[in-house]
Amino acid sequence: AIALREGKVMIVDIESQKLIANLMVSSKAIFALQSIPAKNELVAVGEDGVASVWCLKDYKKIYEFAISSNTIRTIALSHDQKKIAFGDIFLFSAEDYHFLLANQKHSMPITSLIFSRNNLKLISGARDAAIKISDVASLKEQYSFVPHMFTVYGIYPHPNYPIFATVSRDKSFKIWDEETLALLKVINRDKFYDSHTLSINTGLWMDAGQYFLTAGDDKLIKVWELKLS
């Protein structure tokens, strides 16, 4: 599923490389997509702060609900697929989309959002360069730290090890210990790595976490191999 600034979502069959559906979701930009595999549904949200739910069998709209009058830039689904969170932060049931809780965490818009592995915490990153860890049950803030100089565009837990990566507008990505939040590695040009020259906007663990892919404003995708010492 590919979200477009013109308000459309294109569904592409990767194997056949064919467009199989072209959804007109909004008149404004779509910034975040989240599939819910257990229900075979796709949730889209963006500039108008309205979420729409689409069936992935016939690609028809199932439901639509307003989240905020402000732009929503990110979505996170709990690992048990029972809760869904939207920046900045709004928590809903992923089963029937009823509203649960809301609590603004950051001084600037949230750009990255994930649930912890045990579904008990929400971890958010934002344009204020901070990461905040909140209790899912109450959305009360438990801990906060500043991992980068500028916007935190992505938070990516490793699929197998208790570490996570963050990517940022400051042209770096960093590896952190998930339990202690200790900084383990910094990758940028200042550390003499052949890294990005502009903002890093996204990342992805591949091949069971052996490789980490980064992409950014320099229009390059870089592949990094993880070697644990």
Side-chain angles (χ1 to χ4, degrees):
I2 303 168
L4 301 181
R5 192 170 262 283
E6 62 197 59
K8 293 181 179 180
V9 172
M10 299 191 302
I11 308 296
V12 177
D13 186 308
I14 296 173
E15 292 183 356
S16 66
Q17 298 185 22
K18 291 182 179 179
L19 178 67
I20 56 176
N22 196 358
L23 312 179
M24 191 64 237
V25 176
S26 172
S27 61
K28 296 186 177 181
I30 303 300
F31 289 134
L33 299 172
Q34 176 65 58
S35 65
I36 304 180
K39 300 170 67 182
N40 211 13
E41 293 175 358
L42 179 72
V43 181
V45 72
E47 190 175 355
D48 60 6
V50 175
S52 59
V53 184
W54 299 78
C55 176
L56 290 175
K57 292 181 180 178
D58 57 15
Y59 305 107
K60 293 182 179 179
K61 186 190 292 186
I62 300 171
Y63 188 54
E64 185 175 276
F65 57 101
I67 299 169
S68 171
S69 58
N70 297 321
T71 296
I72 301 293
R73 297 184 178 276
T74 185
I75 307 174
L77 179 68
S78 64
H79 300 285
D80 59 9
Q81 301 186 43
K82 292 183 178 181
K83 293 182 175 69
I84 188 167
F86 302 86
D88 289 306
I89 294 170
F90 302 89
L91 189 64
F92 285 77
S93 164
E95 297 174 305
D96 61 7
Y97 301 109
H98 75 267
F99 172 77
L100 297 173
L101 291 167
N103 193 351
Q104 186 172 356
K105 302 276 101 181
H106 294 262
S107 60
M108 298 182 73
I110 290 177
T111 46
S112 50
L113 186 63
I114 64 166
F115 282 84
S116 63
R117 296 180 198 266
N118 60 10
N119 298 311
L120 298 179
K121 298 176 182 178
L122 266 174
I123 306 169
S124 56
R127 283 186 174 175
D128 58 11
I131 281 182
K132 295 182 181 289
I133 300 173
S134 306
D135 174 56
V136 169
S138 64
L139 288 188
K140 290 182 179 178
E141 184 179 319
Q142 295 181 326
Y143 188 71
S144 176
F145 68 105
V146 178
H148 290 277
M149 294 176 63
F150 301 112
T151 305
V152 182
Y153 277 130
I155 307 168
Y156 306 99
H158 191 278
N160 296 313
Y161 300 113
I163 60 175
F164 65 92
T166 57
V167 303
S168 172
R169 185 185 167 198
D170 68 9
K171 310 173 191 176
S172 75
F173 76 90
K174 298 182 180 182
I175 306 295
W176 305 83
D177 184 292
E178 196 172 278
E179 297 174 359
T180 66
L181 300 178
L183 178 61
L184 303 177
K185 194 78 174 177
V186 179
I187 305 293
N188 60 21
R189 288 187 169 260
D190 291 342
K191 297 292 184 180
F192 304 105
Y193 289 96
D194 182 22
S195 188
H196 295 273
T197 58
L198 296 171
S199 172
I200 302 177
N201 300 335
T202 190
L204 178 70
W205 290 106
M206 294 282 290
D207 292 342
Q210 183 178 357
Y211 301 100
F212 187 62
L213 279 64
T214 55
D217 280 357
D218 57 9
K219 301 180 181 179
L220 295 173
I221 295 175
K222 290 182 178 285
V223 183
W224 308 87
E225 185 176 6
L226 176 67
K227 292 184 178 179
L228 296 176
S229 57

